[in-house]
Amino acid sequence: MASIPPEFKVSIDSARCRKCGICVNNCSFGALEFGDDRVIPDDSKCVACYRCVSKCPDNAITITNYQWANRGNANWTPETTSNIQKQAEFGGILLSGMGNPRPHKIIWDHLLIDACQVTNPSIDPLREPMELRTYLGKKPDNLEFVENKEGEIELATELQPQVKLDVPVVFAAMSYGAVSLNAHKALAMAAKKSGTLMNTGEGGLHEDLYQYSDNIMVQVASGRFGVHNEYLNTCSMIEIKIGQGAKPGIGGHLPGEKVGEEISKTRMIPSGTDVLSPAPHHDIYSIEDLSQLIYALKEATNYEKPVGVKISAVHNVAAIASGVVRAGADVLTIDGYRGGSGASPMVIRDNVGIPIELALATVDQRLRDEGIRNRASILCAGSIRSSADIAKAVALGADAVVIGTAALIAMGCSVCQRCYTGNCAWGIATQKPELVKRLDPETAAQKLTNLLSGWSFELKEILGSLGVNSIESLRGNRERLRGYELDEKTLELLGIKSAGVGQ
Amino acid sequence: MVKRIDCKNLYYRHLNKIIQDEAESGETEFILDNLNGQRYLGTGINKAVNITVNGTPGSDCAVFMNGPTLTINGNAQDMIANTMNMGKITVHGNVGDVVGYGMRGGKLFIKGDVGYRAGIHMKEYKSQIPVIISGGTARDFLGEYMAGGIFILLGIGSDSEIITGDYLGTGMHGGVIYIRGDVENDTLGKEVKKLDIDEEDRRILRQYLTEYSQDFGFDVDEIMSKSFIKLLPLSSRPYENLYVY
Ligand code: SF4
Ligand code: SF4
């Protein structure tokens, strides 16, 4: 590795350091060692996870970017050159963790929300009821009523199964395997406390989590890991995973190192074996085939649970979404190109897919134009970072949003982007028992609950300022959004006016 | 009592509901006549009931199946035994493509041929080992991505010496495929190796083929009299060196 320059520099202030060795024990990447009666850092191994910084009792550690002399070359950046050097050294595909980190324009940050002034009053959410409740599932085309014998009016339309969310935010699919059991537990507990869902991802469901079935969405992906009757019935809804924003069109590999006894049992794969998720489902080569799997799942669960389909935001996403909804999906999840991943080839993560904002707006519009928007709820995923992003997503047409990276950050993740190494210093993206135990499920669940409660308060403030008292009134209400510093075409696709334009 | 159902013009959802409800209230024997293309047969019944089919079930027969025994007097379409967990299926005919996709347990015995991608991504865990036996020939991608389980291909009555297609065992990383006769080396996927069978293999083959022969009226000694080869994955970590960290 000698020829590959380090990314970070670890500096230890010897005047402050009491030589307790806590940092050495905490560094799971092997970047710190004791020798010569002092802590000796190996910069080349540091990933800037900040574990040591946060644990040092003397505030003696500083992590900085490794300072390269600025050779003024904006094309051959240190990142580009070191990637080439890594591949020249080892061959193979560059792997990465988390979502696309490139400095592309973030459309959310160029959307501005309206507010009431004078002519219509805003609402104070602290005094008046404010509704965030959302139901996921197929809604009827129309409602029919009949009068019963007692002369009361009753609903005659048969309603399809719905999942109730108290907050319009669900946790993203993160498999047991990619993340630890403690992380899964924290997500399940928090989903229960907050009245929402966690998503198992494609690695099955550990038996310890069966008790949270009302707050679990189970995923069925191409590898069909841990998919059996009990799994399909221990949930409030099912999601067929077709694509993921961080790696549209490709499958996934969980390296054998991460497959210990418990993962082996849950996924039904021998310990130490690579777990391969093929790129396509081999029973789905068409919309008709997708429909067949949707109804197979409904048949296996007595038509009692919504069945969703997750696709990544690609060029033709609107037409694909239309097909997915027509195939019978009750919920459609769209994952944008900034969506996270435990492991994704960098070339795919950074170059494939489109921004979620454009995908969401065009899908919502397409389904409306075709008169089938009611047939499926839309979940919007792919880097939702704040309550403002949620409000904007809902205004662009989402029923609710999905958070993965934000949830991990709430649990302690420092976005070091090394999830694929299995060495996560925060006990999240790892299966090593000594690291997993660093994550206390109760504490992490409380943090997740706090985050959702904070965002709920903020959402209510936003709704109040808009003069509406339910999230339903904002849904698809693009008139309440304006675009700033966006080009004409983008505004047109988003279906919004430019800031400065009135009604 | 045997519950006999005439399936002519019966929509799959209605048919499956009848079977599920009857099974729930204790019925264990079903005979289905005139079945023709209805999907998802045997799904959603988590009991060891016996279902005899006179006809041709539609795609995804026994998808997620968990317990029943299906005897199919006819052919079956694509994706039979998809992600099946428990139970047994005997097909007195041929089956279509992608049979036993992600199968986790139970037995699928086919008298005739299988189509493309048979046994794809089968799995196993400890003693729960799914078994597929086809008496005929297989098309391309047999045992693709196979992660566990046993696939036995017999080629009984085949005119050709070669009973498999191309890309045999591509991406295979677990389980075993037994083939009666031989395969051409250039049809092997790059993740598998071809081996001669040993005593333990013969024991396993005889065990399953005895049951298979009884089901279809074959002579197990005659089947076993021809030589077999087996295909095993070269590695349980086929893509270990694919990535740079
Ligand atoms: S990898 Fe993390 S714990 Fe180790 S030196 Fe770097 S910042 Fe500190
Ligand atoms: S989950 Fe862990 S390994 Fe992944 S980015 Fe966060 S801190 Fe790093």
Side-chain angles (χ1 to χ4, degrees):
Chain A
M1 271 279 220
S3 67
I4 299 163
E7 273 183 77
F8 306 106
K9 185 171 168 59
V10 186
S11 310
I12 295 169
D13 184 343
S14 57
R16 290 183 170 207
C17 175
R18 73 176 81 167
K19 298 172 184 157
C20 63
I22 288 175
C23 60
V24 177
N25 293 333
N26 268 280
C27 179
S28 51
F29 291 89
L32 302 173
E33 252 180 53
F34 237 123
D36 252 357
D37 197 29
R38 66 186 180 98
V39 177
I40 305 173
D42 179 348
D43 293 334
S44 70
K45 290 189 177 149
C46 176
V47 304
C49 72
Y50 299 118
R51 178 81 189 180
C52 58
V53 177
S54 75
K55 294 290 162 187
C56 174
D58 299 322
N59 281 335
I61 310 176
T62 325
I63 312 288
T64 49
N65 286 336
Y66 205 94
Q67 200 52 56
W68 289 90
N70 180 1
R71 283 172 291 197
N73 197 329
N75 190 34
W76 296 102
T77 58
E79 194 202 343
T80 326
T81 43
S82 85
N83 281 345
I84 289 178
Q85 283 167 337
K86 276 185 210 165
Q87 289 190 293
E89 190 106 1
F90 302 106
I93 297 170
L94 289 164
L95 209 56
S96 60
M98 307 311 273
N100 186 338
R102 306 223 163 212
H104 302 316
K105 185 170 200 156
I106 299 169
I107 298 177
W108 296 133
D109 295 340
H110 295 266
L111 299 179
L112 300 168
I113 304 170
D114 194 16
C116 296
Q117 294 293 296
V118 187
T119 51
N120 50 353
S122 43
I123 301 173
D124 181 353
L126 298 178
R127 285 191 297 107
E128 306 210 26
M130 202 48 92
E131 184 74 56
L132 294 183
R133 186 162 295 166
T134 299
Y135 288 89
L136 299 182
K138 200 184 287 307
K139 309 294 186 291
D141 290 339
N142 49 42
L143 292 176
E144 281 171 25
F145 299 89
V146 287
E147 200 178 318
N148 69 12
K149 286 195 218 80
E150 285 80 46
E152 290 161 349
I153 301 294
E154 277 183 355
L155 185 62
T157 312
E158 193 189 331
L159 295 180
Q160 298 298 310
Q162 305 286 323
V163 176
K164 186 180 91 176
L165 304 180
D166 290 335
V167 287
V169 185
V170 302
F171 297 129
M174 292 180 277
S175 71
Y176 171 42
V179 300
S180 63
L181 186 56
N182 282 357
H184 248 209
K185 280 184 187 159
L187 289 162
M189 285 183 210
K192 185 175 176 152
K193 277 193 191 174
S194 306
T196 184
L197 303 176
M198 69 88 77
N199 185 323
T200 58
E202 61 174 305
L205 182 66
H206 193 279
E207 286 177 13
D208 287 0
L209 271 70
Y210 281 12
Q211 54 178 309
Y212 299 102
S213 62
D214 288 347
N215 299 93
I216 285 176
M217 179 179 336
V218 296
Q219 208 179 47
V220 174
S222 62
R224 302 289 152 86
F225 301 110
V227 177
H228 49 81
N229 185 64
E230 202 176 8
Y231 174 75
L232 294 176
N233 285 289
T234 308
C235 67
S236 61
M237 68 169 281
I238 302 171
E239 179 176 80
I240 299 170
K241 177 192 175 183
I242 299 291
Q244 183 178 345
K247 40 183 173 178
I250 68 165
H253 299 160
L254 185 68
E257 292 97 6
K258 273 183 145 179
V259 185
E261 194 45 43
E262 287 294 303
I263 301 267
S264 159
K265 189 171 158 196
T266 309
R267 295 209 178 201
M268 210 177 168
I269 279 283
S271 300
T273 307
D274 279 342
V275 181
L276 312 182
S277 296
H281 291 243
H282 280 292
D283 52 359
I284 304 177
Y285 288 179
S286 66
I287 290 291
E288 291 75 14
D289 288 348
L290 174 65
S291 184
Q292 186 172 313
L293 182 60
I294 291 173
Y295 283 92
L297 290 164
K298 287 180 184 264
E299 195 69 35
T301 52
N302 202 22
Y303 295 83
E304 285 166 2
K305 297 168 196 300
V307 176
V309 174
K310 177 180 177 183
I311 55 172
S312 37
V314 291
H315 299 182
N316 208 16
V317 67
I320 296 164
S322 163
V324 168
V325 173
R326 289 172 190 280
D330 302 308
V331 178
L332 170 71
T333 303
I334 320 166
D335 196 10
Y337 83 138
R338 280 185 193 279
S341 164
S344 166
M346 195 182 286
V347 64
I348 304 285
R349 184 193 70 175
D350 296 354
N351 297 287
V352 179
I354 64 168
I356 186 58
E357 300 90 331
L358 292 170
L360 171 64
T362 50
V363 167
D364 178 69
Q365 194 56 49
R366 172 83 177 231
L367 299 183
R368 283 173 193 279
D369 291 346
E370 295 185 3
I372 55 173
R373 177 63 185 84
N374 61 304
R375 291 202 203 159
S377 301
I378 298 181
L379 285 174
C380 162
S383 198
I384 296 290
R385 305 155 302 160
S386 65
S387 59
D389 289 356
I390 302 172
K392 293 168 187 177
V394 169
L396 285 182
D399 286 274
V401 303
V402 181
I403 58 164
T405 306
L408 296 188
I409 295 172
M411 287 198 268
C413 158
S414 57
V415 201
C416 73
Q417 308 177 63
R418 293 303 190 286
C419 319
Y420 55 88
T421 63
N423 289 329
C424 176
W426 303 93
I428 299 170
T430 177
Q431 301 303 327
K432 294 183 178 163
E434 70 279 14
L435 298 177
V436 174
K437 71 169 192 256
R438 291 181 181 181
L439 185 73
D440 174 38
E442 306 269 351
T443 315
Q446 190 55 51
K447 288 184 178 171
L448 287 163
T449 312
N450 292 347
L451 176 71
L452 293 188
S453 116
W455 282 2
S456 297
F457 286 132
E458 290 177 346
L459 276 175
K460 290 177 180 176
E461 291 289 348
I462 293 171
L463 294 175
S465 79
L466 283 164
V468 297
N469 60 8
S470 83
I471 192 100
E472 197 59 44
S473 306
L474 180 61
R475 192 158 289 130
N477 195 345
R478 301 185 195 193
E479 180 51 32
R480 309 306 298 269
L481 288 181
R482 289 292 183 271
Y484 182 51
E485 294 174 328
L486 294 174
D487 62 69
E488 275 302 320
K489 189 71 197 172
T490 305
L491 290 172
E492 180 194 322
L493 289 168
L494 293 170
I496 60 172
K497 296 170 185 146
S498 168
V501 178
Q503 279 187 345
Chain B
M1 266 289 287
V2 177
K3 175 81 185 170
R4 196 157 193 145
I5 305 171
D6 182 0
C7 306
K8 197 170 165 56
N9 296 331
L10 211 52
Y11 189 51
Y12 77 81
R13 202 170 154 185
H14 187 188
L15 171 63
N16 288 344
K17 185 88 178 98
I18 295 172
I19 303 173
Q20 285 160 6
D21 290 349
E22 291 275 344
E24 196 53 47
S25 49
E27 182 59 76
T28 56
E29 296 290 330
F30 296 85
I31 299 178
L32 311 183
D33 295 317
N34 301 315
L35 189 79
N36 193 3
Q38 284 93 335
R39 290 176 175 174
Y40 315 128
L41 183 71
T43 303
I45 308 161
N46 298 296
K47 286 188 159 180
V49 300
N50 293 312
I51 303 176
T52 303
V53 176
N54 297 316
T56 304
S59 290
D60 263 332
C61 174
V63 58
F64 309 118
M65 192 170 86
N66 195 30
T69 297
L70 304 184
T71 307
I72 299 169
N73 296 315
N75 298 322
Q77 292 188 324
D78 298 337
M79 294 174 243
I80 187 170
N82 188 347
T83 325
M84 169 175 160
N85 195 51
M86 203 165 45
K88 180 177 172 183
I89 310 172
T90 46
V91 184
H92 292 257
N94 302 317
V95 298
D97 297 336
V98 198
V99 306
Y101 177 11
M103 192 172 162
R104 312 160 39 87
K107 293 172 188 160
L108 169 58
F109 290 178
I110 302 144
K111 187 171 189 184
D113 304 333
V114 293
Y116 294 90
R117 298 202 145 95
I120 178 170
H121 224 313
M122 286 168 77
K123 303 181 173 54
E124 68 180 55
Y125 181 71
K126 301 216 161 129
S127 62
Q128 193 178 342
I129 300 173
V131 181
I132 301 180
I133 307 179
S134 157
T137 60
R139 307 300 286 268
D140 298 348
F141 291 106
L142 172 64
E144 188 183 19
Y145 275 120
M146 203 163 148
I150 300 173
F151 198 109
I152 307 173
L153 186 70
L154 300 172
I156 297 168
S158 167
D159 303 335
S160 162
E161 270 303 295
I162 297 305
I163 58 172
T164 48
D166 279 335
Y167 306 106
L168 254 172
T170 295
M172 185 172 174
H173 54 294
V176 56
I177 302 175
Y178 294 106
I179 292 167
R180 189 159 163 267
D182 202 354
V183 295
E184 293 189 74
N185 287 336
D186 62 1
T187 63
L188 292 181
K190 55 186 186 308
E191 295 85 5
V192 288
K193 60 184 173 218
K194 183 173 93 178
L195 296 168
D196 291 331
I197 59 167
D198 58 22
E199 269 318 300
E200 177 60 10
D201 294 318
R202 293 194 72 79
R203 191 192 61 73
I204 292 170
L205 282 168
R206 182 165 283 279
Q207 179 198 327
Y208 290 115
L209 289 173
T210 302
E211 184 183 340
Y212 178 84
S213 300
Q214 280 161 5
D215 288 339
F216 295 112
F218 291 123
D219 177 353
V220 67
D221 292 321
E222 199 179 313
I223 294 178
M224 294 288 295
S225 66
K226 199 169 166 185
S227 67
F228 280 81
I229 58 111
K230 70 174 168 184
L231 301 180
L232 286 180
L234 276 169
S235 157
S236 62
R237 314 256 345 242
Y239 303 119
E240 194 177 1
N241 296 317
L242 186 63
Y243 298 111
V244 181
Y245 290 171

